[in-house]
Amino acid sequence: MACVMPGAPDLETFWSNIVDGVDSVTEVPASRWNVDYHFDPDFDGAARTASGKEHKTVSKWGGFIPDVGFDALRWGIPPASLASIDPAQITALKAAADALDDAGYGDGGFDRSRASVVYATGSGGAADLPAGFLLRLLLRNHGVTVDQLPDDLDAFLPRLTEDGLPGVLTSVIAGRVANRLDLGGKNLTVDSACASVLVALDICCNELAGGSSDLVLCGGVDLHNGAQDYLSFTAAQALSRSGRCRSFDADADGMTLAEGAGCIVLKRLADAEQDGDRIYAVIRGIAGSSDGRHLGLTAPRQQGQELAVRRAYAAAGRSPAEVGLVEAHGTGTATGDRVELATTTQIFGEAGVTPRSVVIGSVKSNVGHTKCASGLASLIKSAKAAYHGVLPPTLHIRRPNEVYDPETSPFVFLDRARPWLADRRLVGVSSFGFGGTNFHAILENHRPAQARAAVRVPDTAAGAGRRVWPAELFAVRAASDADLHARLDALAERVDAARAVLQADRWRLRDVAAAVSAAGDGPVRLAIVARDLDDLAAKLAAARSGSPAAGVHRRAGGTDGDPAGDTDGDPADGTCCPRVAFLFAGAEGARPGMAADVLVALPATRAATAGQDTAVAALLPPQAFDGEAEAQRNALGAVAGPAAAVAGLVVARALAALGVVPDAVADRGGAVVPSREEAEAVRRWLADAAAPSPASSPAGSPAGSPAPPAVPGAPHAGAGPERDARLVDEVRALNAGGVDVFVEVGPGDALTALVDDALDGVPHLAVAADRPGEHGLVALLDAVARLAVAGVPVDLAALHAGRDARPERWDDPPRAPGWLVNGHYVKTAAGGSLPNGLRPAAEAPTFRIVPGDGAAADGAPAPSVPAVAGDAAAGAALGGAEVAVVLEYLRILQGMVAAGSALVSGHVAAGGS
């Protein structure tokens, strides 16, 4: 799979943003269109019609893809042709090529003559490149020659070349992919509005099932996000004035427009298994329907949607009762969401689904509505969820719409990601397009009957629930202080050079972290936890200057507050390393969501949940509405001890997987300190986690791992101070026995201060691995950094297991791409406009429309086209013929807006797709 989506230049960033609940909707970039001219938050269409005022848009927010690099020469596209090719064709080609790379077929290895391409896209005329061609052609048709155009206008308008016609036809998108990738199967482009991708998927599945193709690329691209799109959807009363897709929220007020592109590689399951492919998900069934005769051609109809959903489960041979996640269409329009939720509630209820057992949501809450490409965003999200064993959150729901009954509904909503602990994971995906096109697909995680002897593309699902983390750990080894300074200088120089490259083409942070942490000799003298290359550069500057900075940890070498850092001994006899104790906080530290981030990212830690269904349910509750929060707190309070123990074991298991195995275990809860037998059982279980079996179970499943020993967590009759006093005694006893590093594995950080007070004046290190209010992975990395510089052995390579980290990239510095492309323009590597190509709105010239003699009528000032900040030089005038053609062009645009409004208003104003 591959994609470029709002806020995400690639597949893994997109998935990371979904998991972290990132809102990728922004204000319209200044380069796209003039917000000051087109936007009016108080615009009223009816009032405009009565008064004759200009049409405006009620939204200035949307989902916009970032600049990504594109190598035209790699694909044999002459640079001079780029100015005449719509960015949709280029992003479609890039997504297809990247998807083949992700599948391991970038260099071939398959029969290209039996490989097909089906792309979903919108065929409307809203793109600015063909609109620019149209205006120039209209001028010519009215006898306005090039030398009669104002120079600024002539330079601003794109020029039509021999590449222009194929460059703007949506029907050519699949053809260009097939042409440049040398694929000899069928190629076709599909437009069924917002259902387009699932329609394309249905065609692809039939192509494979019928034996006509052996490999099919199923793609989607929709970059229509210009001013005309906003004006049209405003006229249809479809846009959200709040600027967000609030899917299934009672106050949802419409959709947020977005752009995106992506592609998935499909094969028959038996072939994929035989060929050793890495399989993200299996498509168990897909089906569609039409609404039939209905009051409105474009209004959503529950009966029509039900037909598609029922047919899909029949085709899959699966029941809705087996589904754990529904990726809904969920546009954020009131009636559309209401009809869709009623449809799924009816069908899942009839199937006997347990109330509140299935998660429902929509990726549109993260990125907006990518229209004809929206199904691709949904498919990628769903496949990754099933593959990694993660249930993603949905944003912006404060109060579910009236169809939702919290007592009887089969569904719940999540406001944060949580692990999907089932071994079998099914997802239902819906897409409904105006015009009455309804489709539903069922995806399932791949569960091979037996291990394959030859795996061509490694399946790393068991290693990580996400490949992009919110931060990375950079551990710098050095034999001396001088060596450390030299390494920091070299690292800072390379990082600064990399920051000069486009964000999408920089080193991936995990690649740099893996390379840095694997290099050098001697102990870890410095460790940095950084969120991106810019953050890393700032923290490197602080480290080189000796300035204190959060996330920068230095080897203390035995000063007060840290254990002795001498690591010159032999690990085999324990003379090199500090001795470590893990501390469990007990029931008083219990809080909803504790350890969720670690459970999501590190599937190996999910073994800690085995046999604790009640505690886990209370630990990881769904989103709470209308007083449910108090009920959830009460439910957690009833099992606070076991829930806290599970959370602590999760973090302890994560540390053990990184090689940090405790020499002792202590507990603040129930019995204050567990019996020696219990403590040793926990320690042995954690030691086993440091060497996982290669035959471990699939991601998300605790099956196959021994259940963790119980950590005492029952309420204790003694008061809190009494328990703390006993734990202080235990800490001092452990310290007297040689333990000088105490790691509070959670939940929370209350015991860290207690240890510092108990051992005041005694060399030691107290570290909290779970900190309330901080992302669980960042807190874990910070704790590991402190342990590493203190001399505790840490398996830093294990941090990158299953995350596709490639430290070898460190030897291949990032280079600027040949060209850049986003949802609107193809640009030079420096970000400039292409000669004769579409230019940013901010560069639009200002000119005056005057009568044919070039003078303003009756001596009155000539009206001006509204200026845009940063415009080119103004003052050129158009004569009578030019006035006529400009007015005709504006009339045509007005007609296109009106036609689009008439088409969608009956559906979208009522809440459709």
Side-chain angles (χ1 to χ4, degrees):
M1 306 191 294
C3 68
V4 53
M5 291 287 170
D10 54 51
L11 172 72
E12 298 303 336
T13 304
F14 178 54
W15 173 241
S16 176
N17 287 347
I18 291 172
V19 172
D20 283 337
V22 173
D23 185 347
S24 297
V25 170
T26 65
E27 289 197 12
V28 176
S31 63
R32 298 300 185 91
W33 46 269
N34 185 353
V35 170
D36 291 338
Y37 179 50
H38 294 294
F39 171 65
D40 180 359
D42 301 317
F43 175 75
D44 185 319
R48 182 203 66 82
T49 302
S51 65
K53 292 182 179 178
E54 285 188 285
H55 198 86
K56 298 284 187 176
T57 172
V58 298
S59 175
K60 61 175 180 178
W61 295 274
F64 300 90
I65 65 174
D67 288 349
V68 294
F70 180 74
D71 186 354
L73 299 180
R74 175 189 176 190
W75 302 115
I77 299 177
S81 299
L82 289 175
S84 298
I85 301 176
D86 191 280
Q89 295 194 13
I90 292 175
T91 52
L93 174 58
K94 175 176 172 56
D98 289 348
L100 281 176
D101 286 342
D102 186 56
Y105 288 117
D107 295 325
F110 64 101
D111 185 351
R112 293 183 181 272
S113 70
R114 292 181 54 80
S116 296
V117 184
V118 183
Y119 250 89
T121 190
S123 56
D128 279 7
L129 181 60
F133 291 159
L134 174 62
L135 179 54
R136 187 180 284 276
L137 289 172
L138 283 172
L139 289 167
R140 288 184 59 191
N141 287 342
H142 284 74
V144 181
T145 62
V146 172
D147 57 354
Q148 291 175 310
L149 283 180
D151 291 341
D152 290 337
L153 181 60
D154 182 41
F156 180 74
L157 292 175
R159 291 180 180 272
L160 183 64
T161 69
E162 63 182 6
D163 299 296
L165 179 60
V168 300
L169 291 177
T170 56
S171 58
V172 176
I173 289 176
R176 189 178 294 276
V177 171
N179 178 281
R180 292 298 83 199
L181 299 182
D182 190 23
L183 306 179
K186 301 172 185 175
N187 82 75
L188 62 148
T189 304
V190 175
D191 179 7
S192 293
C194 308
S196 295
V197 168
L198 289 198
V199 173
L201 182 67
D202 188 42
I203 295 171
C204 293
C205 290
N206 289 332
E207 183 73 11
L208 290 166
S212 299
S213 299
D214 296 329
L215 181 148
V216 184
L217 299 180
C218 178
V221 58
D222 193 322
L223 305 185
H224 288 175
N225 228 20
Q228 182 179 326
D229 301 287
Y230 279 75
L231 294 174
S232 296
F233 279 92
T234 293
Q237 303 175 46
L239 285 192
S240 165
R241 291 179 184 265
S242 66
R244 296 298 184 273
C245 277
R246 291 184 283 179
S247 309
F248 303 116
D249 186 72
D251 297 320
D253 61 348
M255 65 179 67
T256 302
L257 296 182
E259 59 197 25
C263 186
I264 59 178
V265 181
L266 297 165
K267 292 175 66 175
R268 288 180 289 271
L269 176 59
D271 292 347
E273 290 181 326
Q274 180 177 337
D275 294 343
D277 291 320
R278 184 255 336 275
I279 299 171
Y280 283 115
V282 180
I283 300 169
R284 290 299 180 190
I286 181 170
S289 72
S290 293
D291 280 345
R293 182 174 293 174
H294 188 35
L295 293 177
L297 171 64
T298 57
R301 187 186 188 196
Q302 182 173 337
Q303 292 90 333
Q305 293 181 4
E306 286 185 12
L307 275 177
V309 176
R310 294 183 195 279
R311 288 169 178 171
Y313 286 101
R318 299 290 191 270
S319 166
E322 302 174 67
V323 171
L325 172 66
V326 172
E327 172 59 19
H329 193 53
T331 60
T333 51
T335 302
D337 286 357
R338 186 169 59 249
V339 170
E340 181 175 11
L341 192 55
T343 296
T344 49
T345 300
Q346 175 74 22
I347 292 174
F348 277 63
E350 290 177 0
V353 176
T354 303
R356 300 176 64 83
S357 63
V358 179
V359 174
I360 189 170
S362 173
V363 71
K364 295 176 183 64
S365 70
N366 299 92
V367 298
H369 192 347
T370 55
K371 304 177 292 297
C372 291
S374 61
L376 207 287
S378 294
L379 283 174
I380 288 179
K381 171 188 172 181
S382 300
K384 293 288 275 183
Y387 178 69
H388 292 293
V390 175
L391 292 167
T394 292
L395 311 184
H396 312 310
I397 303 179
R398 300 294 175 262
R399 182 171 55 94
N401 72 35
E402 67 272 20
V403 175
Y404 182 74
D405 183 341
E407 299 298 324
T408 63
S409 175
F411 305 114
V412 293
F413 302 96
L414 297 184
D415 53 0
R416 67 179 297 169
R418 73 182 194 189
W420 196 349
L421 299 176
D423 179 50
R424 186 181 186 186
R425 302 185 285 276
L426 266 73
V427 190
V429 184
S430 291
S431 281
F432 306 127
F434 65 74
T437 305
N438 309 303
F439 270 81
H440 190 78
I442 294 99
L443 276 59
E444 183 177 6
N445 63 308
H446 181 232
R447 298 181 301 133
Q450 58 186 12
R452 288 169 286 170
V455 178
R456 189 181 52 79
V457 179
D459 188 333
T460 57
R466 53 185 297 182
R467 290 174 179 163
V468 174
W469 284 10
E472 296 290 348
L473 171 58
F474 301 81
V476 185
R477 297 182 181 275
S480 64
D481 287 344
D483 184 24
L484 174 63
H485 291 311
R487 290 207 63 206
L488 291 179
D489 289 345
L491 177 59
E493 182 178 351
R494 297 195 73 179
V495 169
D496 283 342
R499 291 168 63 214
V501 179
L502 181 72
Q503 183 77 36
D505 295 286
R506 294 178 176 180
W507 280 309
R508 302 182 310 180
L509 201 63
R510 61 189 183 278
D511 296 338
V512 182
V516 170
S517 297
D521 298 314
V524 176
R525 294 180 178 269
L526 184 86
I528 294 175
V529 178
R531 297 179 182 272
D532 52 39
L533 283 183
D534 294 336
D535 189 33
L536 176 60
K539 289 175 177 176
L540 280 170
R544 293 166 69 197
S545 67
S547 303
V552 178
H553 306 284
R554 297 175 176 82
R555 184 170 181 256
T559 61
D560 188 23
D562 277 299
D566 184 6
T567 58
D568 295 330
D570 183 0
D573 60 19
T575 60
C576 73
C577 315
R579 299 188 67 201
V580 178
F582 281 1
L583 306 180
F584 291 84
E588 291 180 2
R591 70 182 192 278
M594 49 190 178
D597 296 328
V598 177
L599 277 166
V600 163
L602 300 173
T605 65
R606 298 174 192 176
T609 66
Q612 294 289 341
D613 292 350
T614 301
V616 170
L619 180 67
L620 303 172
Q623 184 172 357
F625 304 106
D626 296 331
E628 292 177 343
E630 182 177 357
Q632 289 181 358
R633 286 192 295 269
N634 292 337
L636 180 59
V639 291
V646 168
L649 287 171
V650 166
V651 176
R653 183 89 171 184
L655 289 168
L658 300 176
V660 182
V661 179
D663 298 285
V665 174
D667 175 36
R668 182 196 198 181
V672 182
V673 179
S675 69
R676 296 302 175 202
E677 292 78 11
E678 291 171 329
E680 181 57 25
V682 171
R683 199 196 69 78
R684 284 197 306 268
W685 183 75
L686 293 172
D688 290 341
S693 167
S696 59
S697 60
S701 172
S705 300
V711 172
H716 188 267
E722 178 185 352
R723 294 198 301 274
D724 288 352
R726 293 180 182 178
L727 184 58
V728 165
D729 291 341
E730 178 69 9
V731 166
R732 288 171 176 165
L734 288 171
N735 181 251
V739 173
D740 45 15
V741 175
F742 296 85
V743 182
E744 184 177 0
V745 294
D749 54 2
L751 301 188
T752 301
L754 185 147
V755 171
D756 285 336
D757 288 342
L759 299 180
D760 187 28
V762 179
H764 72 282
L765 175 65
V767 175
D770 174 81
R771 295 195 289 264
E774 187 168 358
H775 196 288
L777 285 178
V778 177
L780 178 68
L781 289 176
D782 202 68
V784 172
R786 295 187 65 190
L787 294 172
V789 297
V792 175
V794 177
D795 181 4
L796 296 170
L799 281 172
H800 308 105
R803 298 176 56 210
D804 187 36
R806 301 177 187 174
E808 67 274 10
R809 290 186 176 183
W810 183 242
D811 297 321
D812 185 18
R815 298 176 177 86
W819 290 267
L820 308 178
V821 62
N822 60 28
H824 211 66
Y825 311 100
V826 182
K827 302 184 288 188
T828 67
S833 301
L834 298 181
N836 301 321
L838 190 66
R839 306 178 72 87
E843 299 178 12
T846 299
F847 57 88
R848 297 188 303 158
I849 299 176
V850 299
D853 60 2
D858 300 325
S864 293
V865 173
V868 178
D871 282 351
L878 294 179
E882 293 93 330
V883 171
V885 72
V886 170
L887 292 177
E888 178 173 345
Y889 175 65
L890 294 177
R891 179 186 59 78
I892 291 173
L893 286 183
Q894 183 180 29
M896 293 170 67
V897 171
S901 172
L903 178 64
V904 301
S905 60
H907 172 65
V908 184
S913 73

